[in-house]
């Protein structure tokens, strides 16, 4: 018994060290994996938030650009109409064939295709 106690006292630090190494070897990889997964989830969440922010900025820029184009087109239409109405001879009678050719050209454009006059022309032609 005395020999066993002496051996235990001698090798106790080594046994404790071996047990500590064994615990670290068994628990360490799982802990590292869990920590890595948590970091990956956090990075994914941050990247998702950044991506959503960029998408929102892109959407705002797209809507703003479309509104500017629409306003520019409306202003061009108003300017053209004023120039035509104020041009010399604007009140002179126009030959019906010229009028029909002009309207036909406009009605072939996508911007005017659904205008009431164009729909009436299509209906009359059918």
């Amino acid at each position: 018994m005395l020999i066993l106690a002496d051996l235990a006292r001698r090798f106790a630090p080594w046994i404790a060290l071996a047990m500590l190494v064994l615990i670290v070897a068994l628990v360490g990889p799982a802990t590292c994996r869990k920590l890595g997964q948590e970091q990956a989830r956090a990075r994914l969440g941050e990247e998702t938030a950044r991506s959503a922010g960029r998408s929102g900025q892109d959407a705002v820029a797209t809507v703003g650009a479309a509104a500017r184009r629409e306003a520019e087109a409306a202003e061009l239409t108003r300017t053209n109409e004023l120039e035509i109405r104020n041009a010399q001879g604007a009140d002179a009678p126009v030959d019906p064939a010229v009028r029909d050719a002009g309207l036909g050209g406009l009605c072939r454009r996508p911007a005017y295709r659904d205008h009431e006059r164009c729909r009436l022309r299509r209906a009359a032609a059918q």
Side-chain angles (χ1 to χ4, degrees):
M1 241 0 207
L2 206 47
I3 295 175
L4 210 50
D6 186 44
L7 280 174
R9 234 186 353 262
R10 259 201 201 155
F11 291 108
W14 293 107
I15 292 172
L17 181 63
M19 289 178 73
L20 182 63
V21 167
L22 183 63
I23 289 170
V24 167
L26 293 175
V27 175
T31 303
C32 287
R33 239 187 335 270
K34 185 176 179 182
L35 181 61
Q37 289 171 346
E38 288 172 5
Q39 288 174 342
R41 274 192 219 104
R43 279 193 309 272
L44 180 62
E46 291 169 3
E47 190 56 40
T48 300
R50 272 195 296 273
S51 179
R54 285 191 300 266
S55 292
Q57 289 171 343
D58 289 346
V60 167
T62 300
V63 168
R68 277 191 302 281
R69 284 192 307 273
E70 183 72 26
E72 289 169 359
E75 180 59 29
L76 180 60
T77 299
R78 281 190 296 277
T79 301
N80 289 342
E81 182 180 1
L82 285 173
E83 283 183 19
I84 291 167
R85 290 189 186 280
N86 294 328
Q88 184 176 359
D91 57 347
V94 176
D95 187 288
V98 173
R99 182 200 62 218
D100 290 345
L103 285 174
L106 283 176
C107 289
R108 285 190 290 276
R109 294 187 176 276
Y112 294 97
R113 199 171 283 148
D114 293 326
H115 189 274
E116 183 180 348
R117 283 181 128 177
C118 294
R119 286 195 311 262
L120 292 173
R121 284 176 52 83
R122 277 196 307 267
Q126 293 174 352

